[in-house]
Every structure is written in structure tokens, then in C-alpha cells.
Amino acid sequence: MQSLTEEKSLTYPPGGWITMGIETSCDETAVSLMEDGRKVLSSIIASQIPEHRKFGGVVPEVASRQHLECIHQVVEEALQQAGKDLEDVNQIAVTYGPGLVGALLVGVAYGKAMAYAMDVPLNGVHHIEGHLQANFIQYPELEPPLLALIVSGGHTHLVKMADYGKYEILGKTRDDAAGEAFDKIARALGLGYPGGPLIDEQARMGNPEAVSFPRAFMEVDHYDFSFSGLKSAVLNYLNSSRMKGENISVPDVAASFQQAVVEVLVEKTVSCARDHQLSQVVLSGGVAANSLLRKRLEEACRKEEISFFVPEMYLCTDNAAMIACAGYYDYCLGYRSGWNLNAAASVPIGQRP
Ligand code: KG4
Ligand code: ZN
């Protein structure tokens, strides 16, 4: 492992540097070509959602097989969309963790083979750092320091990015990730998979004050999250309503649940930014697609005179442009991965393979 304690500064490669990003950590096979870290030349995302929908969630074995089946075609399409050949690619950046290990392995093995055959540098990228850096693609002028709220199906993190390569986790979930809570509640409401967008849609038609669900703010001056109590409260509400034969309004439950999640995320993020004197907040990860979260966090930041950034939808959920961007900056910091690069199901943010 490479140490992050030593001081590192960015050394840029020549202009026109093309990074190929590869992302296979969960249920999207994604490949992107990026120029100089922040300019998207192509971004292809082959979603497996229809495959997993039949099972009500991601089946790891199915995910690995699907990645294997389509990765080559996704690479071809990414090159074609960018109008580039393999010989134009200067660097390969591939997600090595965290994620489903079998799924990650497909991208890692493919990326390693490509980098070796093409004799270009290889960078293993941390998936969560990729989500954070999606904001650098959307906002070319954005620079650290900043506070990131990263909310996805597997993670809920408040991360201080002091500089490139310098991350500090200030808060994280102690149990369920925010996206996981959305997915579980959607399943309990019979809405299907993935749950986040479906709850978002239902909530637009519901009353967020209809049911009073708990908010887990926990200790003051603490930025950790907990969503399992809220999840249990919703499940209990549904069970007891069903037992009493009461009518359940799906839009009202969805709106009340969504509001409970969003209130905690917004309040903790803003107080964390204030307490750490960070004047820029970025939002990312799949749950950053949530309409209420985007709106409420923007309003709260504006009130506190904090600049707020959120990428457009295709950069919020899993994609390879964000991986190429993060890999480019790792390359500029002098990091290189070896041919022993391996997939890792869980890996701390900031660690380099
Ligand atoms: O970042 P992502 O694509 O994959 C992971 O790295 O986990 O995030 C997927 C998660 C899922 O849990 C999905 O339900 C959630 O993001 N999500 C949403 C919305 N769109 C996607 N959650 C709430 N509201 C949305 N509109
Ligand atoms: Zn993700």
C-alpha cells in the first residue's frame, strides 16, 4: 500500500491526455474516455437493472457474469463515441473497491490486461473517491478544500477533501446506507427495484407530514448517521396498519420516509461544514439523484452562504467518467498501480493499492 501521509503535489502530464475509466463495482458496466481529467469524450453505461429486478435486488453472481458478457462491447462503444482508437489512450483507471468482489474482478482483470498490452500506466481507483470527483467533471473550476456528502446504495459518508489525495472521513453511517434504506422501504411498499427513484416519484404525490417517523440525529457535534431505526419504524407502521386493516397511502409513507432521511442528511452536512469552516459542499452518489435532497441541501447551503455543487444525474449514479477523473488526479499525484492490483470488497477511502 502507498502511504498518503507524505506531501504530494500535482504534476500534470502533457495536454490532451486520455484516460480510459472502467467501472464494474456493482450492477453497471461502464467505460469512459476523458481528456485531461475533466473533459468527457464518452461515457457508456450498460445497466443490468432489468436482470436484477426479477430478484428484487442485485445478485452478485449474475452481476459478474453480465459484466463479463458486455465489457468488451462497452469499451468498443466508448472508443467509438469518443472518436478515438486504443492507441490514443494514455492511461487506464479502474475501480478496484469497494464493491462486489466478483464484479470488481472483471473490471480489474480487463483493465490490467489492457494497460499491460498497451504499455500505459494503470491506476486502481476507490469507488467513493470517484463519486466525490464526479463534481470536478460538472464544475471545471471547482477545487478543494471541500466537504462531500456521498450517499449511495452502499455508503453514506461525510468526507473532508483538504486537497487532491487528502481525505478525512468526518461522519458515516453506523448501519444502513441511505440508498439501502430507500431500496428496502420501496420493497416493503411493493414498489420494486431500485427503490430510490420509485420512492422519489411516489413522494411527489404524497404528504410528507402524514406520518411522523423518527430522525436519528444522535449526539451533538457528531456527524455519524443511522437509518436502521427509521427503517424499522416504517416497517412497524406498515405491519400494524395492515393488521388493523387500515388503508396505507403509499405516496404519504414514501413522502414521510423521504423527508425523514433528507432532514438528517441536510442538517448534519451543513453543521459539519460550518464546524469545520468549509465553504464548499458537494453532493454525490446515487442518492444525490433524489429531488428533495438536491433542493433542500441547496437551500440550506445558500442560507449559510456555503457554495453548493451537485452533478447532473448521469454523473450521480455509477459511471466510469468519475473513475477516469479520480484516476487522472492519482496519476498526477504520482501514484501507479502494479500488475498485482486486486479487487477489494472493502477498502478505506484514501488508501492506494
Ligand atoms: O451510486 P449508486 O449508483 O451505486 C452504489 O454505489 O451504491 O447508487 C445506487 C443507489 C440505490 O440505492 C438507489 O436506490 C439510489 O442510489 N437512488 C436514489 C435515487 N436514484 C438512485 N435514492 C433516492 N432517490 C433517487 N432519486
Ligand atoms: Zn456507486
Side-chain angles (χ1 to χ4, degrees):
M1 292 297 160
Q2 298 171 52
S3 160
L4 285 189
T5 48
E6 60 193 289
E7 276 304 313
K8 282 187 171 277
S9 54
L10 296 172
T11 307
Y12 294 102
W17 182 265
I18 308 280
T19 307
M20 177 183 279
I22 302 176
E23 155 65 39
T24 64
S25 69
C26 191
D27 58 351
E28 261 103 25
T29 317
V31 178
S32 165
L33 259 67
M34 298 282 290
E35 188 174 328
D36 299 331
R38 295 193 183 205
K39 184 176 171 205
V40 184
L41 299 183
S42 65
S43 178
I44 305 291
I45 304 170
S47 174
Q48 307 175 358
I49 287 174
E51 290 300 317
H52 298 287
R53 191 171 280 137
K54 299 175 228 167
F55 305 100
V58 178
V59 182
E61 178 66 22
V62 173
S64 316
R65 283 171 192 272
Q66 289 285 320
H67 288 311
L68 259 182
E69 269 176 34
C70 72
I71 189 160
H72 188 65
Q73 196 191 331
V74 178
V75 167
E76 298 276 297
E77 280 180 37
L79 286 166
Q80 201 181 12
Q81 190 181 72
K84 299 284 178 194
D85 294 320
L86 266 186
E87 297 77 65
D88 299 320
V89 174
N90 300 108
Q91 176 203 2
I92 301 281
V94 59
T95 309
Y96 80 101
L100 301 170
V101 87
L104 286 161
L105 266 173
V106 177
V108 168
Y110 198 97
K112 275 203 288 193
M114 295 259 286
Y116 186 78
M118 291 152 57
D119 194 23
V120 296
L122 172 73
N123 284 87
V125 173
H126 192 288
H127 182 78
I128 304 301
E129 292 176 31
H131 272 303
L132 188 163
Q133 299 207 14
N135 282 281
F136 292 149
I137 303 171
Q138 186 77 46
Y139 303 97
E141 310 303 324
L142 179 65
E143 296 288 339
L146 50 84
L147 177 70
L149 172 64
I150 305 158
V151 268
S152 72
H155 304 272
T156 304
H157 279 58
L158 270 171
V159 178
K160 175 181 171 180
M161 182 183 188
D163 204 343
Y164 291 99
K166 283 197 185 142
Y167 302 95
E168 185 188 348
I169 296 179
L170 300 176
K172 62 179 186 252
T173 183
R174 295 185 184 177
D175 38 61
D176 290 349
E180 195 179 351
F182 269 94
D183 292 339
K184 285 178 179 167
I185 296 307
R187 196 176 311 149
L189 288 170
L191 292 176
Y193 169 85
L198 300 165
I199 297 238
D200 200 344
E201 197 185 310
Q202 288 289 321
R204 280 177 232 260
M205 302 176 282
N207 171 12
E209 313 297 334
V211 195
S212 168
F213 291 129
R215 275 85 166 137
F217 283 104
M218 296 176 295
E219 308 95 86
V220 194
D221 297 339
H222 213 294
Y223 311 110
D224 278 356
F225 302 95
S226 168
F227 295 108
S228 69
L230 168 62
K231 182 189 67 189
S232 305
V234 180
L235 297 178
N236 289 342
Y237 171 82
L238 293 175
N239 285 339
S240 75
S241 303
R242 279 176 192 137
M243 271 159 54
K244 289 187 229 153
E246 289 170 0
N247 221 4
I248 295 169
S249 160
V250 172
D252 283 354
V253 175
S256 304
F257 161 76
Q258 178 174 273
Q259 173 144 298
V261 174
V262 167
E263 263 181 25
V264 178
L265 290 173
V266 169
E267 167 119 15
K268 292 225 169 201
T269 305
V270 170
S271 60
C272 184
R274 206 173 38 216
D275 298 350
H276 288 81
Q277 278 115 42
L278 289 162
S279 61
Q280 304 189 107
V281 163
V282 308
L283 175 62
S284 57
V287 183
N290 185 267
S291 55
L292 187 71
L293 178 58
R294 293 167 86 96
K295 180 168 172 265
R296 286 289 170 79
L297 192 52
E298 187 186 0
E299 287 166 358
C301 284
R302 198 179 326 123
K303 230 163 143 188
E304 295 283 333
E305 296 182 353
I306 294 168
S307 306
F308 174 68
F309 304 86
V310 60
E312 60 188 283
M313 299 294 187
Y314 89 96
L315 289 169
C316 285
T317 45
D318 287 350
N319 66 87
M322 66 183 196
I323 301 303
C325 176
Y328 172 79
Y329 283 103
D330 276 358
Y331 179 83
C332 295
L333 287 169
Y335 293 110
R336 309 283 185 271
S337 298
W339 304 125
N340 60 350
L341 177 68
N342 205 353
S346 121
V347 51
I349 198 162
Q351 187 167 295
R352 293 293 172 276

